[in-house]
Amino acid sequence: MRLLRRLLLGLLLGWAAVGLAAAQGRDAQEAELAAAVAAAEQAQGPDGPAVLEPLRSLADLLRQRGRLAEALPLAQRALALAERLHGPEHLAVAGAANELGLVLVGLGRFAEAQALLQRSLALRERLLPADHLDIANSLNSLGELYRQAGPQAQAAAMYERALAIVEKQLGPEHPITALVLNNLCAAQLEVGRYDLALAAGRRSVAIYEKLAGPEHPMTARALSNLAEVYRGLGQPEQALPPMERAFAAFERAYGPDNLEVARLANNLAGLHESQGRIDAAIPLYERSIAIVERQLGPAHAFLANPLNNLASLYQERGRVAEALPLHRRALQLRERILGPQHPLAALSRHNIALALLADGQRDAAQEELQHSIVLAAADPAARELLWHGQSDLAQLHAAAGRSELAILWGKEAVNTLQGLRGGMPALERELQRSYLQSRRAPYDRLADLLIAQGRIAEAQEVLQMLKEAELHEGLERGGAVDPRSTRIDLTGLERERFARFYALRDRQAALAAERQALERRRAGAPLPAADAARLKEIVEQLMPVAEQAMTRFFGELERAMVGAPPEQGRPAAGVEATRLRRAVDALAASEPAAAAVGLQYLVSDERLSIVLSLPGSPPIAVQQPIGRRALHARLAGLLLQLRSPAADPALLRAGLRELHGWLVAPIEADLQRFGARTLMLSLDDQLRLLPFAALLDERGRHLVQDYTLALYNEAARQALEKPAPPAWRVAAMGLSEPVDDLPALAAVPQELAAVVRARGASGEAWLNRAFDRARLLATLNAPGYNVLHVASHFVLENGAPARSRLYLGDKSRLTLADIAREDLSFGRFDLVTFSACDTARGGGRDATGQEMESLSAKTQNQGAQAVLATLWKVDDASTSGFMQQFYALRGERGLNKAQALGAVQRDMIEGRLRGAGTDWRTPYHWAPFVLMGNWR
């Protein structure tokens, strides 16, 4: 279970904060303003008109510098003086009220701040044109109030209104434009809209770097927020450099004891912690707390964030006795200042629950976790917290043996996550991918638990959802159906038991929406008495009653489900057979001699699951206590051995035999009983990098010597019912010359010549400069070819479609991102072959082979029937020999694609196909070739 951290985001609150002069001049500026106040007082007395403006400026400067206690009496005096000099309806009063409101926001006195900031906005809207910059100033200030005190969604609305005015008046590259963009970035980050936060944050940083330079404190503040966006997207390594730059810039500009330094110490600690540098994180959290306590006192709202984070870190280090008091102190601060229904109070309760669980207090932990879910469910801006709570409650029930409850809450967590992902349409592919990967655990745990309970059809639905999500986030957008819109259905009994939860949740949501609408109206002007009374009724009476009803529901649900008959054998209403199961059933009728079955693999933290789909019968599942870490440890060494032509034969065979024992032996008896001949493999995690053909049984036989193999991806629109054309006409293209750091492929000319002359095939070849983008596009659109064969380097980099690249014959690049963006059509091709793919680059221990799988699925979804590719770059000569034999066997023997592939691999294993004076028996030469899609 994951403890949740809280960020301190960098906000710029007043127009005076945008000056781009060097920070070193601030002491002189403060002295100058103090001298101006003194001179005006000496000339006109303490209430003289000349006192007001330097007094306001001095108060605002002290606020910007974090010296709130000094700023407060000056700002109070400035407002009182403005009212005496000008009366209540004057722009000077509006300005002074805004400045005092910002000081009070900084001090955590939100109710007082709200009244002043609303008064300032109302005055300015009455006295000024609708697009005046002072109105934008007030909107910006109210945005920060709502970002801290809630509702967070209202903060983004305020910043967006302010931004529209600022851009109209000052243009898109003004410092004030950058200020509001930075604040909007922080507000969108708060509500989990990482796509919108990223766009605003990048713009803000770019403007500041252009106008003020990369080391300026204003740039640093924007950089710190952009870093938090990257962290939220699951890219802490990309977040760390800008955060470190920001921290160093603030220490230089403001000294070691400034509140901005405290904010960044908290956030930098979180980044160190996320990358395992605990010893670097703890002192930074402690320093953040110490600075805030010295500057603002021990009861300030800002303390709740670093207290929460330090407590979470202590807890993860096993120091639960130290963690719980800090979590409870953070909760007390948040409830006192923000109210007991605030999402941050829910976050504190979530973390207290996990601390109690670590301390062995399971019942108390469950109560706190349920309370957190109740609060989070009422606020649309708290869905990130909601799915965490639902997922953790599922794990708590699973650990207690309450599997039906665990599955129910696991489904809720996945459905909440699906809604969050669908709400970020503007996010770039690579960031969508990292966002999904960083939040994949609930999907894996749900599928794992469903398999363990025999609810395999529902588990297969989750696995298919993951495949669709990976393709969508990796390459494919704009399809007819967005997979993020799909949800995991509840069974009829689950729906019956959970119906009250939805009714109560909808009631809470309706009350929350009404409350927020009233609060938005109150932001612009005082509410009429009836509306003010209604708002008070919602907050003080109706919301607490709704929460109590939801709490009672949790108890009723547990009593109804614990000890009830399991749901095994009762599939969810509306759950259809997955594509793999439908394909297996269809092939039993259309190609019975193939005896095709489906094998799906799921790798979770605790278990390895295998699901066998047989035609006309329920799927069979086997689970083993082999978790992700153990599997990765075995695969790391084995993959290095496989990819080396000089591998130690004994070590290689031992590794292949062990993996066969894990991946095939558990279901081998079922395969033999059915008489399976063709295995359609749906792979997960790093298993996608493993050539299953090479797995070795106890008899010393490779898997491909007993079965025909093909890879199956549920996200690809595979028309397995469509037979191959009787003859192939091949468009063959290749690059034989060196390019970048990649060697020449000297055997490519021979390979191209052979594949277009193979028995049962014909075609044309284009080599080197004749193979350019124009030729490729013309071939895709030209009639007469039904096979595309590309013999050139195709480098697939983990997590980077824009850097994963196919080299064309003129040495230009076609990236995976290009293939997706340009929507290239492969609809004429029964087979697309990439004979020199390399998945070994750029992935390291995080590589999963997803790029290869997504390339295949995208190519199929753009029309191709099947894709033949390699898991690593093989010896040039053996690749050429392999391809020549593959095309020849398919034509000479009338084999289907998968049979031809297996036949070539067996010829190499058994020594019938070899190079001149070279032995190609080792798996390095024949194992990496994989067929994906329609293998017929």
Side-chain angles (χ1 to χ4, degrees):
M1 298 184 186
R2 182 182 173 191
L3 290 151
L4 301 184
R5 305 299 193 264
R6 174 69 179 166
L7 312 175
L8 290 162
L9 298 172
L11 277 292
L12 301 168
L13 304 182
W15 290 169
V18 304
L20 298 180
Q24 288 78 359
R26 297 295 176 87
D27 289 339
Q29 185 181 6
E30 182 182 336
E32 183 180 331
L33 287 171
V37 172
E41 287 176 331
Q42 185 173 4
Q44 298 182 353
D47 290 341
V51 174
L52 180 58
E53 288 309 312
L55 181 63
R56 286 177 55 190
S57 297
L58 179 59
D60 205 45
L61 179 65
L62 293 172
R63 176 191 61 79
Q64 293 170 41
R65 301 193 66 175
R67 292 157 59 183
L68 298 173
E70 297 172 68
L72 180 61
L74 298 181
Q76 289 170 327
R77 180 184 166 195
L79 177 59
L81 179 56
E83 290 175 325
R84 282 197 297 274
L85 290 172
H86 302 294
E89 293 285 316
H90 193 274
L91 288 175
V93 174
N98 184 77
E99 289 144 14
L100 177 56
L102 291 176
V103 174
L104 292 169
V105 169
L107 291 167
R109 292 161 59 175
F110 297 129
E112 298 168 76
Q114 183 172 357
L116 286 164
L117 295 176
Q118 288 173 342
R119 179 186 176 191
S120 172
L121 177 62
L123 273 173
R124 285 170 165 171
E125 288 184 326
R126 285 198 297 273
L127 300 174
L128 294 169
D131 58 357
H132 196 280
L133 282 174
D134 283 353
I135 293 175
N137 189 353
S138 285
L139 291 167
N140 183 72
S141 302
L142 275 167
E144 169 58 2
L145 170 70
Y146 292 132
R147 194 191 68 80
Q148 290 196 42
Q152 277 80 10
Q154 182 65 8
M158 291 288 162
Y159 291 134
E160 285 167 350
R161 285 181 59 194
L163 181 63
I165 295 172
V166 169
E167 287 194 298
K168 178 180 179 182
Q169 296 294 336
L170 301 175
E173 292 195 342
H174 193 277
I176 291 179
T177 304
L179 177 153
V180 183
L181 282 166
N182 182 63
N183 294 351
L184 179 59
C185 169
Q188 299 291 11
L189 185 57
E190 292 279 3
V191 297
R193 284 303 306 268
Y194 297 103
D195 54 339
L196 301 181
L198 183 65
R202 283 175 170 171
R203 277 193 64 194
S204 180
V205 168
I207 294 169
Y208 279 132
E209 285 186 330
K210 179 178 179 180
L211 297 178
E215 304 301 323
H216 196 280
M218 309 293 282
T219 308
R221 187 177 277 109
L223 277 168
S224 69
N225 283 352
L226 184 59
E228 292 305 337
V229 178
Y230 286 124
R231 175 161 63 168
L233 289 167
Q235 295 194 327
E237 69 288 344
Q238 194 167 348
L240 187 59
M243 185 65 76
E244 288 179 329
R245 277 180 57 192
F247 187 69
F250 272 113
E251 280 199 306
R252 284 194 303 270
Y254 300 126
D257 210 38
N258 187 269
L259 286 173
E260 285 291 339
V261 175
R263 176 180 70 82
L264 288 183
N266 173 81
N267 294 358
L268 183 56
L271 283 175
H272 282 305
E273 180 186 352
S274 68
Q275 296 182 297
R277 294 186 290 273
I278 305 303
D279 291 338
I282 288 178
L284 284 167
Y285 281 137
E286 292 173 339
R287 180 179 175 188
S288 178
I289 291 169
I291 293 172
V292 175
E293 286 184 325
R294 281 195 299 273
Q295 295 290 337
L296 301 175
H300 194 276
F302 286 178
L303 269 175
N305 298 334
L307 283 171
N308 172 84
N309 298 345
L310 181 60
S312 299
L313 188 53
Y314 282 163
Q315 181 177 332
E316 289 175 353
R317 295 295 291 266
R319 297 161 62 177
V320 179
E322 296 171 80
L324 264 170
L326 296 180
H327 278 312
R328 287 184 168 131
R329 183 180 169 195
L331 175 62
Q332 290 168 357
L333 286 170
R334 285 167 170 166
E335 288 192 324
R336 178 174 58 80
I337 295 165
L338 303 173
Q341 297 165 0
H342 196 276
L344 293 183
L347 183 145
S348 281
R349 289 192 176 278
H350 176 276
N351 286 347
I352 287 171
L354 301 192
L356 290 167
L357 193 60
D359 198 41
Q361 302 181 52
R362 186 178 298 275
D363 291 342
Q366 182 176 332
E367 185 177 336
E368 287 287 2
L369 202 51
Q370 291 172 170
H371 196 163
S372 173
I373 291 171
V374 169
L375 296 175
D379 193 331
R383 287 185 296 169
E384 187 79 23
L385 171 62
L386 178 60
W387 79 257
H388 276 288
Q390 292 166 332
S391 180
D392 288 345
L393 186 57
Q395 290 182 79
L396 187 151
H397 284 309
R402 299 189 287 265
S403 299
E404 300 301 313
L405 275 168
I407 289 170
L408 185 54
W409 286 110
K411 288 183 176 181
E412 287 298 302
V414 165
N415 287 341
T416 302
L417 263 171
Q418 287 288 97
L420 266 173
R421 290 177 51 239
M424 292 190 290
L427 202 58
E428 299 164 5
R429 285 189 179 93
E430 290 186 31
L431 297 178
Q432 276 274 13
R433 181 183 183 277
S434 65
Y435 182 84
L436 173 65
Q437 288 301 109
S438 67
R439 289 154 176 81
R440 177 175 166 143
Y443 296 83
D444 285 344
R445 284 194 292 263
L446 176 59
D448 181 79
L449 189 56
L450 286 164
I451 292 170
Q453 295 303 304
R455 297 167 62 172
I456 300 170
E458 293 170 88
Q460 288 181 306
E461 185 186 15
V462 179
L463 297 178
Q464 178 171 296
M465 178 183 286
L466 276 172
K467 291 289 186 183
E468 292 170 338
E470 285 179 342
L471 176 61
H472 187 270
E473 314 308 12
L475 289 179
E476 187 167 272
R477 298 291 178 87
V481 178
D482 186 339
R484 297 172 300 182
S485 67
T486 60
R487 299 294 185 269
I488 300 295
D489 289 315
L490 303 186
T491 66
L493 192 55
E494 285 172 339
R495 262 202 323 274
E496 177 185 323
R497 292 167 173 166
F498 218 58
R500 181 157 170 75
F501 174 83
Y502 293 133
L504 292 170
R505 182 197 62 188
D506 292 346
R507 171 63 174 159
Q508 277 189 291
L511 288 171
E514 186 180 359
R515 182 196 71 201
Q516 290 175 7
L518 290 168
E519 287 172 341
R520 281 195 297 272
R521 289 175 51 203
R522 190 177 63 180
L527 290 172
D531 290 340
R534 175 60 177 171
L535 180 58
K536 182 178 181 181
E537 179 188 26
I538 291 171
V539 172
E540 297 181 2
Q541 298 177 33
L542 299 180
M543 289 293 287
V545 168
E547 289 170 18
Q548 291 165 10
M550 185 73 90
T551 300
R552 287 195 299 273
F553 162 79
F554 279 97
E556 294 165 1
L557 178 68
E558 186 168 341
R559 286 190 293 274
M561 295 192 73
V562 172
E567 287 282 309
Q568 183 172 355
R570 288 181 282 186
V575 172
E576 298 180 358
T578 60
R579 295 188 187 98
L580 177 58
R581 289 169 54 215
R582 293 199 301 270
V584 167
D585 287 341
L587 285 165
S590 64
E591 191 148 341
V597 301
L599 277 175
Q600 288 172 287
Y601 291 84
L602 171 67
V603 181
S604 72
D605 289 339
E606 295 82 22
R607 284 189 288 270
L608 171 65
S609 301
I610 309 170
V611 179
L612 171 61
S613 293
L614 301 169
S617 63
I620 298 168
V622 176
Q623 291 187 306
Q624 302 175 82
I626 301 167
R628 181 177 283 108
R629 183 174 298 178
L631 181 65
H632 286 187
R634 293 297 191 277
L635 284 173
L638 178 59
L639 291 175
L640 288 174
Q641 291 280 323
L642 282 164
R643 291 173 175 183
S644 170
D648 182 315
L651 284 177
L652 180 57
R653 292 177 71 83
L656 292 171
R657 188 173 286 114
E658 181 180 35
L659 266 294
H660 184 280
W662 288 2
L663 301 171
V664 180
I667 43 86
E668 196 156 26
D670 296 299
L671 295 176
Q672 292 172 356
R673 185 175 64 253
F674 173 71
R677 296 190 186 94
T678 302
L679 308 184
M680 298 194 301
L681 305 170
S682 175
L683 306 180
D684 181 40
D685 200 78
Q686 290 190 3
L687 291 178
R688 288 179 285 210
L689 298 171
L690 178 68
F692 270 59
L695 296 178
L696 202 64
D697 66 15
E698 291 300 323
R699 301 169 297 159
R701 290 179 62 81
H702 293 286
L703 190 63
V704 73
Q705 293 179 278
D706 294 318
Y707 298 98
T708 297
L709 306 176
L711 300 184
Y712 186 93
N713 185 343
E714 290 88 339
R717 294 187 283 273
Q718 297 156 114
L720 291 176
E721 73 284 353
K722 185 176 180 179
W728 275 350
R729 182 160 172 77
V730 183
M733 303 178 181
L735 172 64
S736 63
E737 300 171 350
V739 58
D740 292 346
D741 61 339
L742 301 168
L745 301 174
V748 162
Q750 180 183 357
E751 177 182 332
L752 298 187
V755 301
V756 299
R757 292 199 304 264
R759 182 174 297 181
S762 61
E764 296 181 65
W766 292 270
L767 179 65
N768 295 338
R769 289 170 183 79
F771 166 31
D772 58 14
R773 186 181 289 251
R775 168 46 55 196
L776 176 63
L777 295 178
T779 303
L780 295 181
N781 296 317
Y785 299 106
N786 54 23
V787 172
L788 176 64
H789 183 99
V790 181
S792 179
H793 294 286
F794 202 148
V795 178
L796 295 164
E797 294 197 13
N798 180 56
R803 296 194 302 274
S804 296
R805 59 208 179 269
L806 169 68
Y807 287 91
L808 304 185
D810 59 358
K811 301 186 181 181
S812 63
R813 300 179 177 193
L814 182 72
T815 68
L816 280 186
D818 293 335
I819 292 172
R821 181 175 56 253
E822 297 178 22
D823 202 27
L824 302 181
S825 174
F826 299 93
R828 301 181 186 277
F829 300 116
D830 182 54
L831 178 68
V832 175
T833 297
F834 299 109
S835 74
C837 289
D838 184 2
T839 61
R841 293 193 170 213
R845 65 184 180 183
D846 297 324
T848 64
Q850 183 182 324
E851 280 64 40
M852 170 69 79
E853 191 172 60
S854 293
L855 166 64
S856 167
K858 181 62 177 174
T859 306
Q860 291 173 66
N861 286 352
Q862 290 176 200
Q865 289 296 301
V867 175
L868 177 62
T870 58
L871 292 173
W872 60 82
K873 177 67 183 70
V874 192
D875 173 80
D876 186 29
S878 61
T879 297
S880 178
F882 188 103
M883 289 298 170
Q884 293 176 49
Q885 185 81 334
F886 169 76
Y887 283 86
L889 287 178
R890 191 264 179 189
E892 291 171 0
R893 299 186 191 174
L895 305 178
N896 65 40
K897 295 186 282 286
Q899 289 169 337
L901 174 62
V904 181
Q905 290 175 316
R906 289 188 290 273
D907 283 348
M908 295 177 86
I909 293 169
E910 296 161 13
R912 291 186 294 275
L913 178 60
R914 55 189 295 125
T918 306
D919 189 346
W920 291 344
R921 294 172 187 265
T922 174
Y924 164 77
H925 290 285
W926 55 262
F929 297 94
V930 291
L931 180 66
M932 299 164 276
N934 185 352
W935 44 265
R936 298 178 66 185

